[in-house]
Amino acid sequence: MNSKDTILEALRANSPAPLERGPLGFTPMTFEDPLAEFRERVVKAAAARCFLLEEGRSAADAVVEIVRRTYPDARRIASNLPEAAACATFNPDELEDPRSLAGTDIAIVRGAFGVAENGAVWIPRTFRHKALLFIPEALVILLDRTQIVCTMHEAYSREDFDTYDFGSFIAGPSKTADIEQALVIGAHGPRDVSVILL
């Protein structure tokens, strides 16, 4: 017997008896108030702003007021949404080349649903260029407050999750950190994100 066989024999002789696997079960977490949890996670975990529109207030008026108050220096505002028509300075769908989006201060887009466990918003592409989500300095997301799911498990099981050619979960401004724990905001996308709950 060579040394390899001796080692393997010793391992076999001293190995514990195999154990039966336990049952595989998983119950995703739920929240009593998904909207409240989502709002808290957007601010604390995702480092974004969250605005809840008052009942009965016009979405268009609220969007204009929030954008002008939050981003007073913004000059180039992109959106194809009717709620943003009064403050958008151009429609990004009219641009042939996505590189023309360079220099955009704000993009205003619509989210399909939010996720309470992490404050992320699913944004399917309802605009011409994918770059609209990543090139602007700030992103403003309009989201129906009734479209909040508790977990990513629920998000992935939604019927409308995979009906678009492109979409992205956005959870706050773009962030990256290295091993020295130096955090950089805006490295791969917007430096600022606001969610307006309609």
Side-chain angles (χ1 to χ4, degrees):
M1 183 182 306
N2 61 31
S3 60
K4 177 181 173 185
D5 293 333
T6 303
I7 292 169
L8 291 174
E9 187 59 37
L11 287 172
R12 286 190 204 95
N14 294 294
S15 294
L19 298 173
E20 290 290 324
R21 286 189 181 190
L24 294 176
F26 175 72
T27 304
M29 71 177 101
T30 58
F31 301 105
E32 189 174 314
D33 187 349
L35 177 60
E37 188 68 29
F38 174 78
R39 292 179 67 197
E40 184 174 340
R41 297 289 172 107
V42 164
V43 174
K44 291 185 177 175
R49 293 182 187 85
C50 190
F51 302 93
L52 182 65
L53 197 67
E54 301 90 1
E55 294 288 344
R57 185 167 183 204
S58 158
D61 292 344
V63 169
V64 170
E65 189 270 325
I66 290 168
V67 168
R68 289 189 176 148
R69 178 174 34 120
T70 310
Y71 308 101
D73 298 327
R75 297 291 172 258
R76 195 159 188 250
I77 303 172
S79 187
N80 64 1
L81 302 178
E83 297 94 334
C87 63
T89 59
F90 72 99
N91 183 337
D93 294 346
E94 295 173 357
L95 301 178
E96 292 295 325
D97 188 341
R99 290 174 293 188
S100 301
L101 289 165
T104 299
D105 296 311
I106 304 171
I108 305 172
V109 298
R110 188 180 317 282
F113 58 86
V115 184
E117 77 171 322
N118 58 13
V121 180
W122 172 247
I123 304 173
R125 183 165 75 162
T126 55
F127 35 83
R128 185 173 187 179
H129 303 293
K130 298 174 189 177
L132 185 66
L133 292 180
F134 310 106
I135 283 188
E137 292 294 312
L139 191 63
V140 175
I141 305 167
L142 308 187
L143 180 64
D144 182 340
R145 71 179 77 192
T146 64
Q147 298 300 310
I148 307 291
V149 298
C150 289
T151 65
M152 292 298 286
H153 293 85
E154 289 180 60
Y156 285 121
S157 65
R158 283 179 60 115
E159 289 182 9
D160 60 348
F161 178 67
D162 60 358
T163 56
Y164 296 87
D165 67 332
F166 173 82
S168 182
F169 279 107
I170 302 287
S174 167
K175 301 174 277 294
T176 189
D178 61 16
I179 198 166
E180 296 174 353
Q181 300 180 359
L183 180 64
V184 177
I185 303 293
H188 311 296
R191 293 190 294 175
D192 190 276
V193 172
S194 293
V195 179
I196 302 176
L197 295 164
L198 307 177

